[in-house]
Amino acid sequence: MSKQSRIDLAHPSLFVDLYELTMARAYVAEGMNESAVFELFFRELPPTRNYVLACGHTDVLDFLENLRFEDSALEYLRSRKDFPEEFLDYLSRFRFSGDVYAVPEGTVVFPHEPVIQIHAPLTEAQIIETYVLNQIHFQSVVASKAARIVTAAQGRPIIDFASRRAHGTDAALKVARASYLAGFTGTSNVLAGKTYGIPLYGTMAHSYVQAHDDEKEALRRFASLYPNTTLLIDTYDTLDGLRKVIEVVRDLGPGHRPSAVRLDSGDLAELARQSRAMLDQAGLNEVKIFASSDLDEVAIARLLDGGAPVDGFGVGTNLAVSRDAPYLDFVYKLVEYAGQPRFKLSSRKILLPGRKQVFRRERDGLIEGDTLAHHSEALEGKALLARVMRDGRRTGTAAPSLEKIREWVRAQLEALPSEIRALEKHAAGYPVKISRALEAEHDRLRASIEMAGR
């Protein structure tokens, strides 16, 4: 492998923006390394979202536990001549020693609510900014998109087909993980299956049929090798391909019946109706219809609302890039330093001061409103932020399994009011209010800043 193409992110100590290192050097030089609190949150929901599913915590905690500046990283920084040896020596001994508070991975969150809260010496908390943002942002974007697709599918299986259109190999793996947590049935990506234990699905592409001189013979050979497989029928003509599947089943006998046929082009609703009629007439009532082809939650909902007899879906591009909402405005902001609250008054980027807690109220199994509060308050509802890391090590004996997080996500989505879980934008939105104490602290600090400027 050439030097130009070799990228090692096993211990990504250099996965930082340069300003994190330049600030860190300044902090060290100035002796500014008292305890700081940073909060990661987003300010606004995209126009097509009513909620965000917070995801990526496991990768963040793994990173913090293992972060080291390796010799090769230090040599690179030394070669730039931006940093003195005293600072490089500090980095050589760098270990994250702080505490982390977070909402459980897979929790539904809303604007301004902290997803992760970092308590650490200022330099440590600053250096980790880019990686924490990168992991939480991307996986939350994908998980939120996937959750909407799960809602649209109404309990039908959905498979992640996104790898080939994802923005890089790491992104493809994170798409598989985040979509599985959100309720997808599995993935086509074999490495994701090995890495995360996600169920694998996949059978054949059009190229398999094209490689044979005869479509029926291709279908027969594949069905002979893989009983109960899914056969792709639209390489040339969808309904003609289905007729050949029916003939192959009759030739091979009941032991080689496919579990499903796949539609990947054309008018999926009409083709599904005609295919269902043909399968039932042939006595293949148990053979299901699986659809793919540029699907998203809107297309799936349209199919099912129109009565299309589709039993499962494969979703790729629209999941991989979250086409309708490809980013969230997540930020990572200092809210406390040396025991004193910090805030900012930038236009349209107001930052509420101090450590916070989110209290969520429920009634009859549904969530009905949140309060964003000062961390010292005890208000009605369940406190969402809990300590997940102490002194640089995870609390508890192990991270929750994918299946545990998946169960939590299912419960979170079921607890959403129907108008918030819906695909359509809810004009009023989910109610999040700011506590009186937090508002008073903000007003006090603002007044002090204004007085100092006179």
Side-chain angles (χ1 to χ4, degrees), residues 408-446:
W408 173 250
V409 171
R410 186 183 303 114
Q412 287 284 291
L413 297 178
E414 289 174 352
L416 283 174
S418 58
E419 66 272 15
I420 302 300
R421 190 169 60 249
L423 302 183
E424 299 77 20
K425 184 71 170 182
H426 182 55
Y430 179 82
V432 178
K433 65 181 182 180
I434 300 172
S435 75
R436 290 180 181 178
L438 191 55
E439 284 186 334
E441 180 75 344
H442 177 266
D443 292 344
R444 182 187 69 80
L445 289 172
R446 182 179 188 130

Coordinates of all heavy atoms in Angstrom, one line a residue, residues 408-446:
W408 N -34.0 -0.3 23.5 CA -34.2 1.0 24.1 C -34.8 1.9 23.0 O -35.7 2.7 23.2 CB -32.9 1.5 24.6 CG -33.0 3.0 25.0 CD1 -32.4 4.0 24.4 CD2 -33.6 3.5 26.2 NE1 -32.6 5.2 25.1 CE2 -33.4 4.9 26.2 CE3 -34.4 2.9 27.2 CZ2 -33.9 5.7 27.2 CZ3 -34.9 3.8 28.2 CH2 -34.7 5.1 28.2
V409 N -34.2 1.8 21.8 CA -34.7 2.7 20.7 C -36.2 2.3 20.4 O -37.0 3.2 20.2 CB -33.8 2.5 19.4 CG1 -34.5 3.1 18.2 CG2 -32.4 3.0 19.6
R410 N -36.5 1.1 20.3 CA -37.9 0.7 20.1 C -38.8 1.3 21.1 O -39.9 1.8 20.8 CB -38.0 -0.8 20.1 CG -39.4 -1.4 19.7 CD -39.5 -2.9 19.8 NE -38.5 -3.5 19.0 CZ -37.5 -4.3 19.4 NH1 -37.4 -4.5 20.8 NH2 -36.6 -4.8 18.6
A411 N -38.4 1.2 22.4 CA -39.2 1.8 23.4 C -39.3 3.3 23.3 O -40.4 3.9 23.5 CB -38.7 1.5 24.8
Q412 N -38.2 4.0 22.9 CA -38.2 5.4 22.7 C -39.2 5.8 21.6 O -40.0 6.8 21.7 CB -36.8 5.9 22.3 CG -35.8 5.9 23.5 CD -36.0 7.0 24.4 OE1 -35.8 8.2 24.1 NE2 -36.5 6.8 25.6
L413 N -39.2 5.1 20.5 CA -40.1 5.5 19.4 C -41.5 5.2 19.7 O -42.4 6.0 19.3 CB -39.7 4.7 18.1 CG -38.2 5.0 17.6 CD1 -37.9 4.1 16.4 CD2 -38.1 6.5 17.3
E414 N -41.8 4.1 20.5 CA -43.1 3.8 20.9 C -43.7 4.9 21.8 O -44.9 5.1 21.9 CB -43.2 2.5 21.5 CG -43.0 1.3 20.5 CD -43.0 0.0 21.1 OE1 -42.9 -0.1 22.4 OE2 -43.0 -1.0 20.4
A415 N -42.8 5.6 22.6 CA -43.2 6.6 23.6 C -43.4 7.9 22.9 O -43.9 8.8 23.6 CB -42.2 6.7 24.7
L416 N -43.1 8.1 21.7 CA -43.3 9.4 21.0 C -44.8 9.6 20.8 O -45.5 8.7 20.3 CB -42.5 9.4 19.7 CG -41.0 9.7 19.7 CD1 -40.5 9.6 18.3 CD2 -40.7 11.0 20.3
P417 N -45.3 10.8 21.0 CA -46.6 11.1 20.6 C -46.7 10.9 19.0 O -45.8 11.1 18.3 CB -46.8 12.6 20.9 CG -45.8 12.9 22.0 CD -44.6 11.9 21.7
S418 N -47.9 10.5 18.6 CA -48.1 10.1 17.2 C -47.7 11.2 16.2 O -47.1 11.0 15.2 CB -49.5 9.7 16.9 OG -50.4 10.7 17.3
E419 N -48.0 12.5 16.6 CA -47.7 13.6 15.7 C -46.2 13.9 15.6 O -45.7 14.5 14.6 CB -48.4 14.9 16.2 CG -48.0 15.4 17.5 CD -48.7 14.8 18.7 OE1 -49.4 13.8 18.6 OE2 -48.6 15.4 19.8
I420 N -45.4 13.5 16.6 CA -44.0 13.6 16.6 C -43.3 12.4 15.9 O -42.3 12.6 15.1 CB -43.4 13.8 18.0 CG1 -44.0 15.0 18.7 CG2 -41.9 13.9 17.9 CD1 -43.8 16.3 18.0
R421 N -43.9 11.3 16.0 CA -43.4 10.1 15.3 C -43.8 10.1 13.8 O -43.1 9.5 13.0 CB -44.0 8.8 16.0 CG -43.3 7.5 15.5 CD -43.7 6.3 16.3 NE -45.1 6.1 16.3 CZ -45.9 6.2 17.3 NH1 -45.5 6.7 18.5 NH2 -47.2 6.0 17.3
A422 N -44.7 10.9 13.4 CA -45.2 10.9 12.1 C -44.1 11.4 11.1 O -43.2 12.1 11.5 CB -46.4 11.8 12.0
L423 N -44.3 11.1 9.8 CA -43.3 11.5 8.8 C -43.5 13.0 8.5 O -42.5 13.7 8.1 CB -43.5 10.7 7.6 CG -43.3 9.1 7.7 CD1 -43.4 8.5 6.3 CD2 -41.9 8.8 8.4
E424 N -44.7 13.5 8.6 CA -44.9 14.9 8.3 C -44.4 15.8 9.4 O -44.4 15.4 10.6 CB -46.5 15.1 8.1 CG -47.1 14.3 7.0 CD -47.3 12.9 7.4 OE1 -47.4 12.6 8.6 OE2 -47.5 12.0 6.5
K425 N -44.0 17.0 9.0 CA -43.5 17.9 10.0 C -44.6 18.4 10.9 O -45.7 18.8 10.4 CB -42.8 19.1 9.3 CG -42.2 20.1 10.2 CD -40.9 19.6 10.9 CE -40.1 20.7 11.6 NZ -38.9 20.2 12.2
H426 N -44.4 18.4 12.2 CA -45.4 18.9 13.2 C -45.1 20.3 13.4 O -44.0 20.7 13.9 CB -45.4 18.1 14.4 CG -46.4 18.5 15.4 ND1 -47.7 18.5 15.2 CD2 -46.3 18.9 16.7 CE1 -48.4 18.9 16.2 NE2 -47.5 19.1 17.2
A427 N -46.0 21.2 13.1 CA -45.8 22.6 13.1 C -45.4 23.1 14.5 O -44.4 23.9 14.7 CB -47.0 23.4 12.6
A428 N -46.1 22.7 15.5 CA -45.8 23.1 16.9 C -44.5 22.5 17.5 O -43.8 23.1 18.3 CB -47.0 22.8 17.8
G429 N -44.2 21.3 17.0 CA -43.0 20.6 17.6 C -43.2 20.1 19.0 O -44.2 20.3 19.6
Y430 N -42.2 19.3 19.4 CA -42.3 18.8 20.7 C -41.9 19.8 21.8 O -41.0 20.6 21.6 CB -41.3 17.6 20.8 CG -41.2 16.9 22.2 CD1 -42.1 16.0 22.5 CD2 -40.1 17.3 23.1 CE1 -42.0 15.3 23.8 CE2 -40.0 16.7 24.3 CZ -41.0 15.7 24.6 OH -40.9 15.1 25.9
P431 N -42.6 19.9 22.9 CA -42.4 21.0 23.8 C -41.2 20.8 24.7 O -41.0 19.9 25.4 CB -43.7 21.0 24.7 CG -44.2 19.6 24.6 CD -43.8 19.1 23.2
V432 N -40.2 21.8 24.6 CA -39.0 21.8 25.4 C -39.0 23.2 26.0 O -38.9 24.2 25.3 CB -37.7 21.5 24.6 CG1 -36.5 21.6 25.6 CG2 -37.8 20.2 24.0
K433 N -39.1 23.3 27.3 CA -39.0 24.6 28.0 C -37.7 24.7 28.8 O -37.1 23.7 29.1 CB -40.2 24.8 28.8 CG -40.3 23.9 30.0 CD -41.6 24.2 30.8 CE -41.7 23.3 32.1 NZ -43.0 23.6 32.8
I434 N -37.3 26.0 29.1 CA -36.1 26.3 29.8 C -36.6 26.6 31.3 O -37.5 27.4 31.5 CB -35.4 27.5 29.2 CG1 -34.9 27.1 27.8 CG2 -34.2 27.8 30.1 CD1 -34.4 28.3 27.0
S435 N -35.9 26.0 32.2 CA -36.3 26.3 33.6 C -36.0 27.7 34.0 O -35.2 28.4 33.4 CB -35.5 25.4 34.6 OG -34.1 25.8 34.7
R436 N -36.8 28.2 35.0 CA -36.6 29.5 35.5 C -35.2 29.8 36.0 O -34.7 30.9 35.8 CB -37.7 29.8 36.6 CG -39.1 29.9 36.1 CD -40.1 30.2 37.2 NE -41.4 30.2 36.7 CZ -42.5 30.4 37.5 NH1 -42.3 30.6 38.8 NH2 -43.7 30.4 37.0
A437 N -34.7 28.9 36.7 CA -33.3 29.0 37.2 C -32.3 29.2 36.1 O -31.4 30.1 36.2 CB -32.9 27.9 38.1
L438 N -32.4 28.5 35.0 CA -31.5 28.6 33.9 C -31.7 29.9 33.2 O -30.7 30.6 32.8 CB -31.7 27.4 33.0 CG -30.6 27.2 31.9 CD1 -29.2 27.1 32.5 CD2 -30.9 26.0 31.1
E439 N -32.9 30.3 33.0 CA -33.2 31.6 32.4 C -32.6 32.7 33.3 O -32.0 33.7 32.7 CB -34.7 31.8 32.2 CG -35.3 31.0 31.1 CD -36.7 31.4 30.8 OE1 -37.4 31.8 31.8 OE2 -37.2 31.2 29.7
A440 N -32.8 32.6 34.6 CA -32.3 33.7 35.5 C -30.8 33.8 35.4 O -30.2 34.9 35.4 CB -32.7 33.4 36.9
E441 N -30.1 32.6 35.4 CA -28.6 32.6 35.3 C -28.2 33.2 34.0 O -27.2 34.0 33.9 CB -28.1 31.2 35.4 CG -26.6 31.0 35.3 CD -25.9 31.4 36.5 OE1 -26.5 32.1 37.4 OE2 -24.7 31.1 36.7
H442 N -28.9 32.9 32.9 CA -28.5 33.6 31.6 C -28.7 35.1 31.6 O -27.8 35.8 31.2 CB -29.4 32.9 30.5 CG -29.2 33.6 29.1 ND1 -29.9 34.6 28.7 CD2 -28.3 33.3 28.2 CE1 -29.5 35.0 27.5 NE2 -28.5 34.2 27.1
D443 N -29.8 35.5 32.2 CA -30.1 37.0 32.3 C -29.1 37.7 33.2 O -28.6 38.8 32.9 CB -31.5 37.2 32.8 CG -32.6 36.7 31.8 OD1 -32.2 36.5 30.7 OD2 -33.7 36.6 32.3
R444 N -28.7 37.0 34.3 CA -27.7 37.6 35.2 C -26.3 37.8 34.5 O -25.7 38.9 34.6 CB -27.5 36.7 36.4 CG -26.5 37.3 37.4 CD -26.3 36.2 38.6 NE -25.5 35.1 38.1 CZ -24.2 35.1 37.9 NH1 -23.5 36.2 38.2 NH2 -23.6 34.0 37.5
L445 N -25.9 36.8 33.8 CA -24.6 36.9 33.1 C -24.6 37.9 31.9 O -23.7 38.6 31.7 CB -24.2 35.5 32.6 CG -23.8 34.5 33.6 CD1 -23.6 33.1 33.0 CD2 -22.5 34.9 34.3
R446 N -25.8 37.9 31.3 CA -25.9 38.9 30.2 C -25.8 40.3 30.7 O -25.2 41.2 30.1 CB -27.2 38.6 29.4 CG -27.4 39.6 28.3 CD -28.7 39.3 27.5 NE -28.8 40.1 26.3 CZ -29.1 39.6 25.1 NH1 -29.3 38.3 25.0 NH2 -29.1 40.4 24.1

